[in-house]
Amino acid sequence: MQEKIIILDFGSQTTQLIGRRIRELDTYCEIVPYNKFPHNDPSVIGVILSGSPFSVYDENAFKIDLTTIRGKYPILGICYGAQFMAYMNGGKVEPAGTREYGRAHLAQFEGKNPLFRNVRKHSQVWMSHGDTITAIPDNFKAIASTDKVAIAAYQAKNEKLWGVQFHPEVYHTEDGTRILKNFVVDICGSKQDWSAASFIESTVAQLKEQLGNDKVVLGLSGGVDSSVAAVLLNRAIGKNLTCIFVDHGMLRKNEFKNVLHDYECLGLNVIGVDASKKFFSELSGVTEPERKRKVIGKGFIDVFDEEAHKLKDVKWLAQGTIYPDCIESLSITGTVIKSHHNVGGLPEKMNLKLCEPLRLLFKDEVRRVGHQLGMPEHLITRHPFPGPGLAVRILGDITPEKVRILQDADDIFIQGLRDWKVKDAQGNDTVLYHQVWQAGVILLPIQSVGVMGDERTYEQAVALRAVTSTDAMTADWAHLPYEFLAKVSNDIINKVKGVNRVTYDISSKPPSTIEWE
Ligand code: XMP
């Protein structure tokens, strides 16, 4: 049985980050809405209460009956989680005079406390709260303070229950990983046996049992998630898995051919369908971004459905859905939002059962599993790419000629990122491509005047877009070296017929988005 930590989500923006930190400690964890604790699950070894956008005394604040978990598991409350436990046990929580936000340093802490083992003196912590605990319950003791906050952390006396008002999951908390490790490993007793290898072993066994001799179909996109899901399923059920890779004509230059070749080398049973004509014809004259997405989504389902029906007796549809797609997030109103997006209603239409072998993994874990499965590096470290492809990077209507121009410009930019050597933060050799979350070129619906040789030109402008991010929810524009941008701009203007101007997008998300449409 896979032991696990439960993270009760009270709606904080950093809840997912807590999950990732715990997984980095090779410990399995699950994030569940605050009111959905799995009381009958014998594999739970500890509980973390997350932060929240609410104050504990807000009428709508998320509350639970602590007696149902207290004393049964070690508990760590973070920020709101800490304030909530103090408040519910007779402590006092009040608005902080000034919002306590940003860096602070531990002034004093109980070094012998198991939660603070090996934490350094004056260690930096990250605060982000509008309330503060001003008095703790009688049977609790303060175990840490900062210059401004007297009760930065507490423990219930003689009990495995802790609260910290700072955020150990955030990188700015220097000894945050240490503190989480103290809790998860020393206090909860995690065996740290959650690894890519153990995941593969147990998942392959589960898939064999779940699928038996059934036939499964899976849509490949060329992206890391669907590719890893396919290789994993291939390991479990071999030729009973058929993969379908649809070319909607809006992929990157030579991508369809290259990726299909990769898949074949991996031993996958894959059908490549060139449906680009159909998509070009259906997209003709469509300019509105959401309409483009709908046309492509529906076209994809049609092609996939048609191909799948040629196969006999298929019972399952497999997808590369990953954990962040599945986590039910809480909105400020308390409603649970399910942000799970599968391929536009395919399972319902096809009347197939859904198989999602990566649904418990974060993106970096999917990559580790891919490595462990022996997949080629370039397939695993690939940037994310939107399902509708270049269609949402051509502003205005789409024609094969515009796609050709964009493919050529994009190819120069991406290849340039792959070739440009740099050092990473640790001084190791790498290339710009790996320092960027995602990059691409946008074809703008404008022409501008230029001069080439003696000729006046009137051609298209493109924008380069490259961002850094950890999850695509927020992103900063990548501060690419000027020399690199100069080279790419030159290469594009000289080599791509139809483009005479290159710009660089320097907007962050929010308020902009990564894609332009
Ligand atoms: P935005 O533009 O919303 O993008 O900042 C966030 C991430 O999502 C990708 N993206 C899409 N992926 N279908 C997809 O499969 C889509 O319609 C779509 N739109 C955006 C985008 O590339 C980025 O990684």
Side-chain angles (χ1 to χ4, degrees), residues 363-420:
K363 192 91 179 178
D364 43 337
E365 294 176 308
V366 174
R367 293 204 162 108
R368 273 195 268 159
V369 168
H371 271 290
Q372 186 75 27
L373 287 165
M375 294 170 65
E377 187 70 15
H378 65 268
L379 211 64
I380 297 170
T381 55
R382 213 146 222 255
H383 288 167
F385 187 67
L390 302 181
V392 290
R393 295 185 183 166
I394 294 173
L395 308 197
D397 70 324
I398 295 159
T399 63
E401 174 61 5
K402 287 186 185 172
V403 172
R404 198 268 315 153
I405 292 176
L406 185 53
Q407 280 180 335
D408 286 347
D410 180 81
D411 190 50
I412 290 172
F413 186 32
I414 298 299
Q415 202 48 53
L417 288 166
R418 285 192 180 280
D419 292 342
W420 197 270

Side-chain angles (χ1 to χ4, degrees), residues 293 384 386-388 438 472 509 513-515:
R293 281 195 168 77
Q438 188 172 359
K509 171 183 180 175
T513 49
I514 295 175
E515 304 294 343

Side-chain angles (χ1 to χ4, degrees), residues 35-263:
N35 54 359
K36 293 204 178 151
F37 190 87
H39 291 287
N40 299 322
D41 185 343
S43 58
V44 178
I45 57 168
V47 185
I48 294 180
L49 274 54
S50 84
S52 172
F54 287 112
S55 293
V56 288
Y57 42 78
D58 274 346
E59 225 173 83
N60 302 326
F62 300 140
K63 295 201 167 75
I64 55 165
D65 176 4
L66 277 170
T67 59
T68 59
I69 52 171
R70 196 167 162 187
K72 296 186 180 142
Y73 314 94
I75 303 177
L76 173 66
I78 295 177
C79 195
Y80 173 93
Q83 293 165 356
F84 176 71
M85 289 196 293
Y87 184 72
M88 294 308 277
N89 288 292
K92 225 182 198 176
V93 177
E94 294 176 281
T98 50
R99 195 174 153 76
E100 282 156 358
Y101 181 82
R103 288 166 228 277
H105 291 88
L106 290 179
Q108 283 186 321
F109 64 93
E110 198 182 284
K112 287 210 185 84
N113 195 289
L115 193 66
F116 289 132
R117 211 169 63 88
N118 292 334
V119 168
R120 290 162 295 181
K121 274 189 183 159
H122 309 299
S123 192
Q124 178 178 294
V125 294
W126 187 258
M127 291 286 187
S128 171
H129 48 98
D131 294 335
T132 196
I133 301 172
T134 50
I136 48 172
D138 290 343
N139 51 343
F140 285 26
K141 58 175 175 174
I143 56 169
S145 64
T146 67
D147 290 343
K148 284 197 193 140
V149 180
I151 306 161
Y154 64 72
Q155 182 183 4
K157 289 177 193 160
N158 305 318
E159 221 186 296
K160 289 187 177 178
L161 182 151
W162 287 263
V164 291
Q165 289 211 85
F166 54 87
H167 287 269
E169 72 278 21
V170 169
Y171 281 113
H172 304 293
T173 297
E174 286 170 346
D175 286 322
T177 304
R178 186 80 243 172
I179 292 169
L180 289 174
K181 186 171 182 201
N182 288 341
F183 179 70
V184 166
V185 180
D186 295 352
I187 296 170
C188 298
S190 161
K191 292 195 281 295
Q192 296 188 283
D193 56 2
W194 169 254
S195 66
S198 71
F199 170 82
I200 293 168
E201 195 186 315
S202 61
T203 308
V204 166
Q206 272 165 24
L207 287 170
K208 279 184 176 163
E209 190 173 319
Q210 179 186 26
L211 303 171
N213 211 18
D214 289 355
K215 297 227 163 35
V216 180
V217 64
L218 175 143
L220 285 170
S221 69
V224 56
D225 302 343
S226 63
S227 305
V228 172
V231 174
L232 197 57
L233 273 154
N234 186 48
R235 203 171 263 202
I237 60 166
K239 295 293 170 210
N240 275 342
L241 170 71
T242 305
C243 304
I244 298 176
F245 182 29
V246 179
D247 182 6
H248 51 33
M250 319 285 151
L251 297 174
R252 292 194 145 120
K253 188 173 182 175
N254 296 329
E255 188 170 28
F256 186 62
K257 198 176 74 192
N258 294 344
V259 175
L260 202 54
H261 177 71
D262 281 338
Y263 287 147

Side-chain angles (χ1 to χ4, degrees), residues 456-467:
R456 177 184 182 277
T457 58
Y458 188 54
E459 293 178 333
Q460 304 251 183
V462 297
L464 309 180
R465 180 76 164 137
V467 296

